[in-house]
Amino acid sequence: MLSLVMNLKEIVSNIITKLEELDRVRDELIKTSRDVIKLSKEVINNVLKGNIEKAHEYLSRLKEIVHLIISKARNYPELYFSGFLTGVLTEYVEATVLYEIVTKSRYPTPQELSVSEVPYLLGLGDVVGELRRLVLDSLRSSDYSRAEKYFKFMEEIYENLSTIVLPDAVVPGLRPKIDNARRLLEYARSDLFLAQLRFRLSLSVEDK
């Protein structure tokens, strides 16, 4: 009986040691994740303002930190597949995809970003809101072709995300993002229609 008790004590002691290490790494990742969220916002804000060079600087720093987080978390499945890490990587995906759309008119793959499918899809859904901002900014400056360009990206993202029919347990939080993307797409469609209508009316007035 004594040997069994000692053996169990050793087992529990080993578990505690591993959990304490897990807790330490988790704290480190949470602190670092704040930098990811901050830098992601800086990338997005600078892209929206047209400060592409500045956005690129922030994005370079962002990628370094994200790769560090991923490399650490991969050794701890409890953290790698946790909700908080998914949220952090979603922010990163949103910023990176927006940057790639604006600068190169392309979508980076999950493999390029070193993220799994769930944060990629969630981040892609969030990009729609930023693209609508670009549509509105383009319309304010009467750049209708640019507005159309970003509207088509909005449309493409929504159409592809809406083909995903999976339970929330598999892709948690995706359905509300798809619903929101649909609303934003309709708003943007209306914005484009009204702007083009005003433009045509102004031309007809000038011709008279």
Side-chain angles (χ1 to χ4, degrees), residues 16 29 41 72 109 131 137 142 154 185 193-194 201 204 207:
I16 290 172
L29 292 179
K41 288 179 179 177
K72 275 189 178 182
T109 66
L131 288 172
D137 288 343
S142 300
M154 290 179 68
L185 186 63
F193 173 76
L194 292 174
L201 287 173
S204 64
D207 291 339

Side-chain angles (χ1 to χ4, degrees), residues 65-84:
I65 295 175
V66 167
H67 289 158
L68 177 65
I69 286 177
I70 291 174
S71 63
K72 275 189 178 182
R74 274 191 176 136
N75 297 320
Y76 304 90
E78 302 93 335
L79 299 177
Y80 188 71
F81 296 104
S82 66
F84 103 85

